[in-house]
Amino acid sequence: DQVPPSVYLPKLNLQQRQAVTAGAEGGLAVHAGPGSGKTAVLTTRVAHLIQVGRIPPEELVVVTFTNKAANEMKIRLSKLVGAQTVDKIVMGTFHSVCVRYLRKYAKLVNLAPNFLITDRDDCLAIIKRLISTLSVPDNLRREMKPPTWLESISKCKSRQIGPEQYRVEREAAGAVDPEKSEWVARVYEAYEEELAKSNALDFDDLLVRGYQLFRNHPRVVAKIKSVLIDEFQDTNSVQYDLVKLIAAASGSLTVVGDPDQSIYGWRNAEIENLEKMLKEFHPVKQIFLEENYRSTGAILGAALAVVRQDTKRVKKSLKTSHPSGSSVVLHPAPSAFDEATFIASTIKHLVAHLGGLVGFNDFAILLRYGALSRNIEVALQKAGVPSRMVGGHKFFDRTEIKDLLSYLQLLSNPSYSPALLRVLNVPRRGIGDKTQREIGNVAERKQVSAFEVCVRVANGQGLVQGLTGAQRKAIKGLVELVRDGRKRADEGADVVELIDFICDRVAYKQYLEKTQGPDANERWENIEELKAYATVVAEENPSTADLATAIEAEEGESQFEEVAIPTSRSNGIKAAPESDDDVIIVEPADEDEDDEKIEVPLSSQAADAGQTTPLEIFLATSMLATDTETQAAKSDAQVEKVTISTCHAAKGLEWPVVFVPACEDGTYPFFRASEASEVDEERRVTLCSSVDDRLLYVALTRAQSFCFLSHAASRMAGADTKQKKLSPFLATASQTYPSLFVKKLQKVTQKTREETARVLGRPAPNEEKAKQLIDD
Ligand code: ATP
Ligand code: MG
């Protein structure tokens, strides 16, 4: 099932071929603009390294920007080298690559292998709780909201600075507000304790712990023969340091990127990484690709007009052999409502007038931020245009999905308090905020997990003040659910079965019907979607146990020193003083009518065997999913839909027709009140603009044949209607190059259809058919 080089090499141009066939040793940097085949080159190079370079697939690490990009690359690679080979490659985002090694070598960094990943919402929930339990003074609470605390902590973590070091550092720096620094350090400390107690890692931890693992145990990655990275311009310094460690043994590193598409200025993304790479992997072979295979001349011209305003940028040449095509439309709309109507009607117009050459799947609407989708979704729905939202309001942020994930997290790791506190009263068990707080406080006082407090309550201990009999019973039901669910998981139930089990036990569907009214069906469908996603994840990770064994055999894990893990961390539940090491057994309650003793096993069979269970894989995959990757799994994936996505999540992708609404000042560049207040005006403008003109550039260059930019003169912001001006980037570009932008789509003729067909590599529709569609 391998495609030989004689088939894939001739499809590439000369420079691409040079990049694909360059030897594995040393550095290779491919610099090129959008649509020039960087990702295609990277993918083909992986196949070439396996087939011709004879590098075993499990000794390759490939880093992509999103999980979705990794999946797409896997599909393409499967066609070249076969799916079985592809499964062995270590491929994914920086986070998922780290998770993979951290699970395998958890003991080496003093972690329990069944650690959970805390997403941002859960992190914020923890911070909120800590601010209240630690009694942070009111003035500070008013000044710093939970996201700001989290950001301060995150900054420390990414620099590998602990709370104590932070204190010392602030003091040495003569911090203006020592009280504030002290509180940040305290919250930071408590936050870390909470994560440790919950056996959880946040996103920063994944990278930092990965770094520590690779640095302190270089043998873990000693077998890696080559590392390849897509979208290198967006790696930050921690990620670069990781790369250096992973590639340390082989010194073989391939990066492909485009500085013009660097869109994380706010997140310390560093273009300087390229300079470092050129020095540290010396000599680096550099290859420039100049031909764009994606877009028409008109689209490229307009995109360049936008990015060219950045005077500091290195000029690159970019040419296309595609026809010039239809001009880019810059459409002024009176209001956001009219803009949305314009988008919906243009989509319908093109579907008909292009004679079936494009379907709804071929359209993307790219947004600066997710909330801009509301008007558009409504307008599309009204016009009968089906759509799907990607990367904005995340699938995994939906209430019903979070509920189910929290239950699954509890089954995987009962001591994970954010999950317990979330589902304690879902569905309603009559356990209100006050009782929840009380349970949290007891846990704090007794230094045990919230779940263990529940176990003790279930067994009749009067730990929590003022519980009614009904509440006690409800808590007992929850504890039993966790116990039974864990048992099922241990007996080999897959994630879909576990979801069914949970829904059944808590009557989740009935709960939705009772609380969600007409929305209940849609929400229940989301649960079905979650199950479909779980099936896909299971299929994509069929042989993890085998894989683990394979890695182990390869790397001779036995040579590693074993690090003892304190019991409280290695197990799901912190051991209670009165329990033995294997189960929590609490004396049956005096007042309890049935004297069944509840026991919850502390660790699963899989964990004992050092294996990663399907449940753990599923949870990690879900937590790391950066956009609605579940969409691929959705049963109606075949149904044609327009994609609505954030610009960030659209990176690396392409569509025949792209809309970029809200091209306004305040959107491009984007001002967020909170950010704007933190930096002075001048710095704010440079920071915002240097990122947002590139973001606009990324959005425009996703388009293959048609690109529609639009802006509204007025737009609702909260309860107010705000007057809006055209984005300064586009104002300048369209003044400097007036011929590149038109106000209205030119008439679609048979020539348009034929050119479009050429760009898309599809057969041209005949004129008769087009006429028919238009008449309908
Ligand atoms: P971006 O910067 O947006 O990530 P990229 O440089 O990674 O873009 P690709 O996505 O790899 O570009 O390629 C863009 C399109 O061009 C794809 O549809 C790809 O299949 C096509 N392509 C790449 N190389 C060639 C080639 N030599 N001949 C024909 N088509 C090509
Ligand atoms: Mg790419």
Side-chain angles (χ1 to χ4, degrees):
D1 50 355
Q2 287 200 341
V3 174
S6 60
V7 173
Y8 59 73
L9 288 180
K11 291 183 185 161
L12 305 172
N13 67 33
L14 180 66
Q15 288 78 17
Q16 291 180 325
R17 208 152 46 226
Q18 284 172 344
V20 166
T21 57
E25 52 303 320
L28 171 68
V30 179
H31 316 281
S36 54
K38 292 184 298 297
T39 304
V41 160
L42 199 79
T43 311
T44 318
R45 180 164 165 78
V46 172
H48 200 75
L49 287 173
I50 293 172
Q51 288 196 27
V52 180
R54 300 262 153 231
I55 298 184
E58 57 274 17
E59 294 175 9
L60 286 172
V61 173
V62 184
V63 182
T64 57
F65 189 65
T66 59
N67 299 298
K68 190 170 173 183
N71 286 339
E72 260 165 39
M73 202 178 275
K74 279 181 190 165
I75 293 169
R76 284 200 207 173
L77 262 176
S78 299
K79 291 185 186 138
L80 293 175
V81 296
Q84 273 191 325
T85 306
V86 175
D87 280 341
K88 293 184 194 151
I89 304 172
V90 182
M91 192 187 290
T93 60
F94 279 107
H95 288 98
S96 65
V97 168
C98 284
V99 169
R100 189 158 163 167
Y101 282 100
L102 283 173
R103 280 224 196 284
K104 179 70 196 116
Y105 298 105
K107 287 181 189 168
L108 296 180
V109 281
N110 223 1
L111 268 176
N114 68 336
F115 63 84
L116 285 178
I117 300 163
T118 315
D119 68 3
R120 192 180 149 82
D121 277 358
D122 284 353
C123 294
L124 286 173
I126 293 174
I127 296 273
K128 245 184 236 161
R129 209 150 16 90
L130 290 176
I131 291 175
S132 141
T133 48
L134 293 178
S135 311
V136 173
D138 280 346
N139 60 333
L140 217 62
R141 279 196 218 192
R142 270 192 303 274
E143 186 193 327
M144 281 173 71
K145 299 287 167 220
T148 318
W149 291 92
L150 194 59
E151 185 146 324
S152 304
I153 293 173
S154 170
K155 271 188 193 148
C156 291
K157 283 194 173 191
S158 62
R159 289 170 50 228
Q160 305 207 40
I161 303 276
E164 196 43 47
Q165 258 174 302
Y166 175 78
R167 271 195 191 102
V168 174
E169 204 178 70
R170 297 296 291 183
E171 210 165 302
V176 268
D177 192 347
E179 196 204 345
K180 184 161 141 189
S181 307
E182 174 54 26
W183 277 109
V184 170
R186 269 192 220 174
V187 172
Y188 183 10
E189 224 158 44
Y191 174 82
E192 292 289 88
E193 266 168 31
E194 171 81 33
L195 286 186
K197 206 163 67 183
S198 292
N199 185 20
L201 298 182
D202 66 16
F203 285 177
D204 294 314
D205 288 334
L206 295 178
L207 300 185
V208 170
R209 293 298 201 106
Y211 177 83
Q212 289 166 353
L213 174 67
F214 301 146
R215 190 195 50 201
N216 299 339
H217 305 276
R219 305 175 80 149
V220 166
V221 281
K223 283 270 177 161
I224 297 303
K225 293 284 184 310
S226 198
V227 179
L228 302 97
I229 303 174
D230 199 1
E231 308 277 4
F232 184 66
Q233 76 280 355
D234 276 319
T235 45
N236 61 29
S237 48
V238 183
Q239 292 168 338
Y240 180 76
D241 291 343
L242 273 168
V243 172
K244 251 176 69 183
L245 291 173
I246 301 176
S250 65
S252 169
L253 174 65
T254 302
V255 304
V256 310
D258 175 8
D260 288 342
Q261 293 184 65
S262 150
I263 52 174
Y264 283 98
W266 278 107
R267 278 207 219 157
N268 322 319
E270 285 169 9
I271 295 176
E272 294 96 65
N273 282 339
L274 183 61
E275 282 160 22
K276 280 200 221 158
M277 187 253 178
L278 294 178
K279 248 191 272 149
E280 288 163 359
F281 288 82
H282 184 81
V284 177
K285 185 167 183 173
Q286 300 198 62
I287 293 177
F288 298 84
L289 309 177
E290 297 191 333
E291 170 137 17
N292 176 299
Y293 292 95
R294 179 181 294 147
S295 314
T296 61
I299 291 167
L300 275 187
L304 284 170
V306 169
V307 85
R308 215 172 259 153
Q309 296 165 45
D310 179 355
T311 45
K312 283 197 229 87
R313 99 178 241 280
V314 184
K315 289 202 178 59
K316 272 199 303 274
S317 77
L318 201 57
K319 52 181 201 257
T320 175
S321 53
H322 288 321
S324 156
S326 300
S327 301
V328 169
V329 174
L330 180 54
H331 175 83
S335 68
F337 175 81
D338 296 306
E339 178 185 55
T341 315
F342 160 76
I343 293 172
S345 65
T346 307
I347 292 174
K348 290 179 86 172
H349 177 88
L350 279 179
V351 168
H353 285 251
L354 286 172
L357 183 59
V358 298
F360 292 139
N361 265 349
D362 295 320
F363 294 82
I365 302 167
L366 305 183
L367 311 172
R368 178 63 183 80
Y369 52 94
L372 287 168
S373 73
R374 221 196 55 228
N375 281 317
I376 296 167
E377 280 176 293
V378 173
L380 292 182
Q381 204 171 17
K382 232 198 236 159
V385 176
S387 67
R388 67 168 74 92
M389 178 77 197
V390 174
H393 184 74
K394 288 198 329 198
F395 179 75
F396 294 102
D397 287 347
R398 292 179 196 181
T399 324
E400 61 279 12
I401 299 303
K402 282 228 112 188
D403 287 349
L404 259 291
L405 284 179
S406 298
Y407 271 110
L408 290 170
Q409 285 173 325
L410 266 189
L411 298 196
S412 167
N413 173 5
S415 51
Y416 187 59
S417 305
L420 180 81
L421 295 177
R422 186 179 170 92
V423 299
L424 210 47
N425 204 26
V426 175
R428 287 183 198 138
R429 297 187 173 92
I431 303 172
D433 284 353
K434 200 173 131 254
T435 315
Q436 289 198 28
R437 259 202 310 277
E438 184 56 24
I439 291 175
N441 288 341
V442 173
E444 198 65 33
R445 249 194 343 265
K446 299 254 164 194
Q447 282 297 302
V448 296
S449 72
F451 181 74
E452 205 197 311
V453 174
C454 291
V455 174
R456 296 195 197 182
V457 167
N459 282 308
Q461 290 194 2
L463 278 172
V464 181
Q465 300 278 303
L467 277 188
T468 65
Q471 284 174 326
R472 194 180 295 273
K473 212 164 174 178
I475 290 173
K476 187 169 173 188
L478 180 63
V479 169
E480 284 169 345
L481 182 157
V482 174
R483 176 195 62 190
D484 298 348
R486 276 170 74 81
K487 186 150 168 274
R488 276 171 193 244
D490 241 6
E491 287 164 1
D494 62 28
V495 177
V496 174
E497 286 164 342
L498 292 176
I499 294 175
D500 284 337
F501 162 76
I502 293 163
C503 288
D504 193 42
R505 259 311 251 280
V506 304
Y508 196 74
K509 192 168 185 200
Q510 288 84 325
Y511 163 71
L512 286 179
E513 279 159 3
K514 231 185 283 164
T515 55
Q516 301 295 331
D519 286 346
N521 261 342
E522 196 191 321
R523 290 178 187 266
W524 183 249
E525 270 171 33
N526 287 334
I527 305 280
E528 293 293 334
E529 203 174 317
L530 185 71
K531 280 157 65 175
Y533 178 64
T535 310
V536 171
V537 171
E539 278 165 5
E540 278 171 2
N541 302 278
S543 50
T544 319
D546 305 348
L547 186 73
T549 335
I551 295 178
E552 195 166 323
E554 278 291 333
E555 292 170 353
E557 197 216 20
S558 53
Q559 296 167 15
F560 291 116
E561 76 275 31
E562 296 261 320
V563 179
I565 310 170
T567 330
S568 61
R569 281 257 205 130
S570 65
N571 296 315
I573 307 163
K574 196 157 183 164
E578 69 267 54
S579 71
D580 67 32
D581 269 4
D582 293 312
V583 287
I584 296 176
I585 305 174
V586 184
E587 289 307 306
D590 302 336
E591 70 262 41
D592 221 297
E593 54 287 1
D594 71 281
D595 54 3
E596 183 201 1
K597 194 164 46 181
I598 301 180
E599 302 173 1
V600 182
L602 283 175
S603 70
S604 65
Q605 284 166 14
D608 289 345
Q611 280 171 359
T612 307
T613 65
L615 178 57
E616 286 159 5
I617 292 169
F618 173 74
L619 287 172
T621 314
S622 313
M623 289 302 124
L624 292 179
T626 43
D627 46 29
T628 318
E629 280 143 16
T630 53
Q631 295 292 355
K634 203 168 177 180
S635 45
D636 68 355
Q638 296 86 341
V639 178
E640 291 254 337
K641 284 183 178 180
V642 170
T643 299
I644 306 176
S645 166
T646 60
C647 298
H648 285 93
K651 242 178 112 139
L653 306 180
E654 58 191 22
W655 290 271
V657 188
V658 168
F659 292 86
V660 188
C663 291
E664 293 138 20
D665 196 7
T667 314
Y668 302 95
F670 181 51
F671 300 136
R672 208 181 301 165
S674 62
E675 281 171 2
S677 61
E678 278 171 28
V679 285
D680 61 75
E681 176 74 8
E682 194 186 345
R683 196 167 137 68
R684 186 193 73 186
V685 170
T686 44
L687 273 176
C688 288
S689 60
S690 63
V691 174
D692 280 351
D693 63 341
R694 294 200 291 260
L695 196 57
L696 204 51
Y697 179 70
V698 168
L700 259 83
T701 53
R702 301 307 96 203
Q704 293 173 276
S705 286
F706 297 91
C707 183
F708 297 87
L709 310 169
S710 52
H711 58 108
S714 71
R715 187 177 293 282
M716 293 282 280
D720 314 326
T721 303
K722 287 235 167 74
Q723 302 306 307
K724 294 281 179 180
K725 283 202 302 247
L726 176 61
S727 155
F729 306 131
L730 284 168
T732 314
S734 60
Q735 266 158 29
T736 322
Y737 308 95
S739 62
L740 294 176
F741 301 89
V742 295
K743 284 217 166 119
K744 256 181 75 184
L745 177 66
Q746 287 138 333
K747 191 169 167 11
V748 175
T749 62
Q750 184 59 16
K751 182 166 170 259
T752 320
R753 289 189 273 272
E754 275 158 18
E755 281 186 357
T756 308
R758 224 170 89 201
V759 174
L760 302 181
R762 300 177 184 178
N766 71 43
E767 205 163 350
E768 289 312 306
K769 190 177 167 211
K771 286 225 173 75
Q772 237 174 358
L773 274 173
I774 297 167
D775 291 341
D776 286 350

